[in-house]
Amino acid sequence: MRRLAAALAVVAVAAGLMAVGRARPPAAPQKKLIEYGWDVPYPDFVRQHARAMEERPFDGVVVRLRAGLKVFAHRAMPEAAFTEDVAHLKAAAFTRMRDNFVLMWTAPEEGWDWADDRDFTAGAQNVRLFARAARAGGLRGIAADYEAYDGNAFAYSRQHCARHDDFAGCAALVRRRGAALMRIMQQEFPDIRILALFQATMFDPALAARDEAARQRALAVADYGLLPAFLDGLLEAAVGASTIIDGNEPAYYYGSRAEFFAARETILRRGPALVAPANRPRYARHVQAGHAVFVDQLFALRPPADNGPAAALTPAERARWLEHNVYYALAAADEYAWVYSERMSWWAGQVPPGAEEAVRAARQKIRAGQALGFDIEPMVRAAKAARARASHAAP
């Protein structure tokens, strides 16, 4: 009987191992498309128009708070400034668009300084309030726009710490501050998602550097050279399912499948070189690849009217370019891609003919696991050549 029991135990273990071998890996996240642009809505608009917004082909939207945009300020915002925003977000009757983010600018107020404890305390409290509002409002997290609209928190030459610290010292300070901010955000919003509009693909010269010393020299003169140190800090403090999505804003100008997948490689395989070796396993756990699509660039909406290769295309060709870029932005993303626009509005019904149909077609093919079915690269090359000829012929 003992031998029989032992034999049955062996069989059970073997069966269990076979079952593990047959077990499917965790399902990949569903691909999601987020809208952001100059038509960014306020929470009260979202509350009033949620059902109509869900008729558009998006899984979420970036929302702007009436409390403000800038967090790196000399004074903290009053908590009461967020009350109405949160109430409107809570009351928004979304049934499908669930992946929404609150917009946060890091462009600092004049004179704001990473090294000034009072400035940082005020900025940290503002970040706390944004994360708290995002969670209370039922959003997925924060859309972090690092662009230097009227100030740059990540240019070494513009920071006060550059006056008394070398680049390494200033980067170490920004890393510590980034870790502190991540801890604060996670206190308010465990498993927060941060949609960073750009990240690794902004640093090709630094990533191509032959050694770490050369990489640091490249970052010291880069427009956003302290951003990798900030990311390093975020990762150092990241826990649980907190996620940083690299939104790859440079994808605005892509015209080929290869560019999207090369950017994915940069984000996921080359990008870890931007952070400390100890944080590279965290990078692998907490960073996702995302991509952007810029409707204005693909539909010749940017002034002047003849700006860019899309000016040489027909409306039908522009729509194919948009379908192509939405398709490959989603295909090459881990979970999120985002559509950006300026001189149009999805919410006011000011949409170029063919644009919405192109977005829907791309999304449907991704959901169905279908190939795109066409190649735009010859068309884009011809359009670029036509614009170059026109530019040379201009007086």
Side-chain angles (χ1 to χ4, degrees), residues 173-247:
L173 170 65
V174 172
R175 176 178 171 176
R176 292 194 298 274
R177 298 303 203 191
L181 291 178
M182 190 63 167
R183 284 190 285 270
I184 286 169
M185 286 188 282
Q186 291 173 141
Q187 287 168 5
E188 299 295 334
F189 196 150
D191 300 339
I192 191 170
R193 296 187 175 200
I194 301 170
L195 173 58
L197 300 192
F198 59 79
Q199 210 160 260
T201 52
M202 296 290 286
F203 298 104
D204 275 343
L207 289 172
R210 64 181 181 273
D211 54 38
E212 188 58 30
R215 180 173 294 112
Q216 294 305 309
R217 288 195 296 271
L219 291 174
V221 298
D223 287 342
Y224 298 94
L226 290 168
L227 183 54
F230 184 71
L231 170 62
D232 215 359
L234 296 180
L235 291 172
E236 183 177 304
V239 295
S242 293
T243 303
I244 301 165
I245 302 111
D246 187 332

Side-chain angles (χ1 to χ4, degrees), residues 73 88 103 123 146 149 152 239 245 269 272 334:
H88 288 309
L103 180 60
Y146 299 136
Y149 295 108
N152 189 342
V239 295
I245 302 111
R269 304 289 176 259
D334 286 309

Side-chain angles (χ1 to χ4, degrees), residues 2 20 29 55 78 93 95 106-107 117 141 200 232 275 309 326 337 342 389:
R2 286 196 296 271
V20 169
E55 295 177 4
T95 59
T106 64
D117 287 340
D232 215 359
V275 302
V326 171
E342 294 177 351
R389 290 193 297 271

Side-chain angles (χ1 to χ4, degrees), residues 31 260-261 264 291 325-334 337 366:
K31 302 299 179 79
F260 285 99
F261 283 97
R264 176 180 175 82
H291 302 286
N325 279 24
V326 171
Y327 181 92
Y328 283 114
L330 289 167
D334 286 309
I366 289 290

